[in-house]
Amino acid sequence: MAVYSRRLQKELMDIKKEGTPVGIEVIQADDFAKWILSVEVLGDTLYKGEKFALMFRFDNQYPISAPAVQFVVDDKYQAPVHPHVYSNGHICASILGNEWSPVLSVVAVCVTIQSMLASCKRKERPPDNDRYVARAPDNPKKTRWDFHDDDV
């Protein structure tokens, strides 16, 4: 069994044994290629009562390489309106790029995204949303992000 599949198998076993943090649920984790988890921001936030879905796509370099992570945008789910989230679901977050660490897990990424949403001060799209979405690759990992604004 490859390293990435052993790691994902362990993460899934930990989730089944310990559960997920409040507001995070596994929707789909049938294989080691793609998982979908729901994220709900709790408390009195801009996103109160809203539920989002995060899709994780793994390659055989996981956990050395970050998974491709984006919000699901379909008939049931939409991407949150947030300064670091594009309307196609792509997320501009340094932990999904140059600050990725192999010690991070799927649940840790969900908690980080949940925290990013909870601390948001204004609901708005990134200023270049329309231009980016028109040219965006399917895989957000193929985007070269410019991480410059932590004050949202």
Side-chain angles (χ1 to χ4, degrees):
M1 186 180 289
V3 171
Y4 87 101
S5 55
R6 280 197 310 268
R7 167 65 181 266
L8 288 168
Q9 187 173 38
K10 180 188 180 319
E11 287 189 42
L12 192 55
M13 285 179 16
D14 289 347
I15 289 170
K16 287 180 179 177
K17 188 169 83 175
E18 300 167 18
T20 55
V22 176
I24 298 169
E25 296 177 15
V26 175
I27 297 173
Q28 174 190 326
D30 303 329
D31 57 37
F32 299 136
K34 179 174 85 172
W35 289 6
I36 299 176
L37 287 88
S38 68
V39 175
E40 185 175 1
V41 184
L42 305 173
D44 191 19
T45 72
L46 294 175
Y47 302 98
K48 185 175 185 174
E50 296 181 59
K51 189 179 266 192
F52 307 101
L54 283 172
M55 176 173 57
F56 290 76
R57 290 181 286 175
F58 307 97
D59 62 24
N60 61 6
Q61 297 300 307
Y62 181 79
I64 302 305
S65 173
V69 182
Q70 66 191 87
F71 284 99
V72 174
V73 176
D74 61 14
D75 294 339
K76 185 173 181 183
Y77 294 102
Q78 293 300 310
V81 177
H82 184 281
H84 292 179
V85 179
Y86 291 84
S87 58
N88 65 352
H90 289 196
I91 306 162
C92 180
S94 57
I95 69 154
L96 302 177
N98 62 352
E99 291 185 21
W100 171 257
S101 169
V103 300
L104 292 170
S105 65
V106 169
V107 169
V109 170
C110 288
V111 169
T112 300
I113 300 297
Q114 189 181 44
S115 175
M116 179 185 87
L117 295 173
S119 64
C120 184
K121 297 176 180 94
R122 60 190 182 276
K123 277 187 165 185
E124 63 186 23
R125 290 278 179 225
D128 62 338
N129 181 74
D130 294 342
R131 184 171 42 90
Y132 173 76
V133 170
R135 298 185 182 132
D138 178 54
N139 185 338
K141 285 180 64 173
K142 294 181 179 178
T143 298
R144 290 199 178 159
W145 299 108
D146 182 18
F147 306 110
H148 55 81
D149 181 14
D150 289 335
D151 185 35
V152 293

